[in-house]
Amino acid sequence: MNITQVKVIVTNPGRNFVTAKIETSEGISGVGDATLNGRELAVATYLSEHVAPMLIGRDAFAIEDTWQLMSRASYWRRGPVQTAAQSAIDMALWDIKGKALGVPVYQLLGGRCRTGVMAYTHAGAAEISETIDDLQMFIEQGYHAVRLQCGVPGVPDVYGVDRDTSTQPGAGTERPYVEGWDTSAYLGVVPKLFEAAREAVGFGTHLLHDVHHRLTPSEAGWLGKRLEDHRLFWLEDALASDYQSAYRLVRQHTTTPLAVGEVFTSLVDCEQLIREQLIDYVRASAVHAGGLTGLRKIAAFAEPYQVKTGCHGAADMSPITMAAALHFGVSTHNVGIQERALHPEEADDVFPHAYTFSDGYLDPGEAPGLGVDIDEALAERYEYRRGYLPVVRLRDGTLTNW
């Protein structure tokens, strides 16, 4: 079965998504997610102009060889644009193979080793009390794990707290908007948030928190130590991982579990973190780390070091990525949890899918392949709209990490 066409579909059913649809000589097609939030058209162009022409005529079953072709045949390697394109092709080929053999993809990955993947969602509001209300609502909906964020006194538009973007559909806004940041005020409020949460719900629910790359190693170590009594499931992205060795200082000062990796594009980005056991969870995603093949390579390397996965699952990745993550999740031993941010209703219509959520767990379903598709006619109704992610400035105007 040979590849005959690679379609690149850009649509905005509530947010921008890029999809690669591979068609074959046997009439079987497969889909993969190539969305890179805020850089969608860069990936779409790379797929159309460079990747698609070299895939025509290739064996659709040669997944590993195609993955290596996209990794090694290019002198310029890795990076989010290249890897998002590679990820989409990889997902689509797994989808094709599953459909051709009449089995869900997880069966091709070794079969089930768990009945479902525990999911967490996001509770975030301006005030601590409002975040606790959201937490209790999600517990009533069946979640066993919830990420908590809250506003920082004196700081507008803090990450993780809902911001009205109803006038700017898509990823971000038509122009970059500014979020504020004050590390001292942040470090003062977060321990209070988790003290209130544990007082409200006890220790029967897993609690998580995302710093979003805002701290120095010593600040992150202090915060992790301060939160130890509240037994977080993880402290996420406590600092940027540009220098993996920076996590050594954090690890020396706290036993709070550490998670990082939603921006990782390959094993190279986290090899030291895993090998030195500087983190507990690697958050790489199928759409940005080389598809299912890339995720499996990271997980296999991490397993003997007792590092688990916790795949990124934000709403800026399409339901195709969620489906891929769940097939990976039920068939891979060292999977810890799966992030779940709900897609807009329009996106669920454009990408009909077989995966389900029940009693706190996500399941990929039993449909052949990935169990997700794209309604091309419906997708055409939603035109791409340029969208920027925020920028962050300190009180004195200095730019810092978003």
Side-chain angles (χ1 to χ4, degrees):
M1 182 177 357
N2 296 327
I3 296 171
T4 57
Q5 185 178 9
V6 180
K7 292 183 179 179
V8 180
I9 304 164
V10 181
T11 183
N12 185 334
R15 351 186 24 116
N16 292 319
F17 297 113
V18 180
T19 303
K21 183 172 183 178
I22 296 179
E23 298 182 348
T24 68
S25 56
E26 299 297 319
I28 300 173
S29 63
V31 293
D33 186 14
T35 307
L36 183 61
N37 192 7
R39 299 291 185 273
E40 299 89 358
L41 296 188
V43 183
T45 301
Y46 182 69
L47 275 167
S48 298
E49 300 299 324
H50 177 72
V51 175
M54 74 176 181
L55 296 182
I56 303 305
R58 287 185 57 82
D59 180 0
F61 270 24
I63 298 175
E64 177 68 21
D65 189 65
T66 298
W67 194 91
Q68 295 292 346
L69 173 70
M70 297 188 65
S71 295
R72 299 181 184 276
S74 173
Y75 182 74
W76 302 105
R77 301 183 185 181
R78 297 190 296 274
V81 172
Q82 186 275 334
T83 311
Q86 178 183 14
S87 300
I89 298 303
D90 186 79
M91 283 185 245
L93 293 179
W94 282 107
D95 190 26
I96 288 168
K97 181 170 282 193
K99 290 174 180 175
L101 299 178
V103 297
V105 164
Y106 76 78
Q107 294 287 13
L108 305 178
L109 306 180
R112 285 183 183 266
C113 63
R114 58 179 55 84
T115 56
V117 184
M118 182 169 65
Y120 76 90
T121 193
H122 308 155
E127 301 295 331
I128 289 176
S129 60
E130 296 171 339
T131 299
I132 303 306
D133 289 342
D134 284 351
L135 166 62
Q136 292 173 325
M137 175 187 68
F138 287 127
I139 292 173
E140 291 173 0
Q141 292 178 8
Y143 285 94
H144 306 299
V146 182
R147 191 189 81 178
L148 304 184
Q149 312 289 140
C150 72
V152 176
V155 179
D157 294 327
V158 175
Y159 170 79
V161 176
D162 289 340
R163 181 180 189 275
D164 182 12
T165 58
S166 59
T167 60
Q168 299 287 355
T173 54
E174 288 287 332
R175 296 282 298 170
Y177 67 89
V178 176
E179 291 183 349
W181 187 251
D182 185 318
T183 300
S184 179
Y186 166 79
L187 293 175
V189 74
V190 172
K192 296 176 183 177
L193 169 64
F194 284 91
E195 181 179 0
R198 286 304 184 200
E199 183 176 345
V201 304
F203 287 85
T205 299
H206 298 298
L207 302 181
L208 305 84
H209 180 66
D210 185 1
V211 182
H212 224 247
H213 316 114
R214 305 294 170 85
L215 302 180
T216 65
S218 58
E219 291 165 346
W222 181 91
L223 180 60
K225 186 70 174 177
R226 186 70 174 79
L227 295 174
E228 285 177 1
D229 289 344
H230 303 307
R231 286 170 33 198
L232 269 64
F233 187 92
W234 74 38
L235 183 66
E236 177 185 342
D237 290 347
L239 58 148
S241 59
D242 298 355
Y243 297 98
Q244 297 180 44
S245 60
Y247 270 81
R248 289 175 183 160
L249 184 60
V250 185
R251 193 59 129 181
Q252 290 167 4
H253 285 84
T254 182
T255 58
T256 293
L258 302 174
V260 67
E262 65 186 58
V263 298
F264 290 169
T265 61
S266 75
L267 177 58
V268 173
D269 294 330
C270 53
E271 182 271 337
Q272 183 181 11
L273 290 168
I274 294 170
R275 178 170 43 80
E276 296 187 20
Q277 296 178 290
L278 301 180
I279 59 173
D280 301 273
Y281 297 90
V282 59
R283 301 207 59 245
S285 67
V287 68
H288 298 139
L292 282 163
T293 300
L295 273 184
R296 295 180 76 207
K297 292 177 188 294
I298 292 172
F301 181 81
E303 185 174 5
Y305 296 100
Q306 300 183 67
V307 174
K308 297 182 178 181
T309 69
C311 290
H312 188 41
D316 57 27
M317 301 177 290
S318 86
I320 300 172
T321 288
M322 178 59 77
L326 296 180
H327 285 278
F328 165 81
V330 298
S331 60
T332 304
H333 184 264
N334 57 322
V335 168
I337 201 167
Q338 173 63 51
E339 181 179 18
R340 184 193 188 216
L342 295 179
H343 290 101
E345 183 178 346
E346 302 94 325
D348 286 330
D349 292 338
V350 169
F351 298 95
H353 51 267
Y355 63 77
T356 58
F357 173 79
S358 178
D359 191 30
Y361 291 84
L362 286 160
D363 185 88
E366 298 299 320
L370 291 175
V372 63
D373 204 348
I374 183 168
D375 185 328
E376 294 185 60
L378 186 56
E380 287 183 1
R381 301 181 189 177
Y382 300 102
E383 294 185 2
Y384 165 83
R385 293 189 63 178
R386 182 177 63 249
Y388 286 92
L389 293 171
V391 297
V392 179
R393 293 186 183 272
L394 305 179
R395 287 182 182 271
D396 68 357
T398 303
L399 275 166
T400 189
N401 295 327
W402 186 73

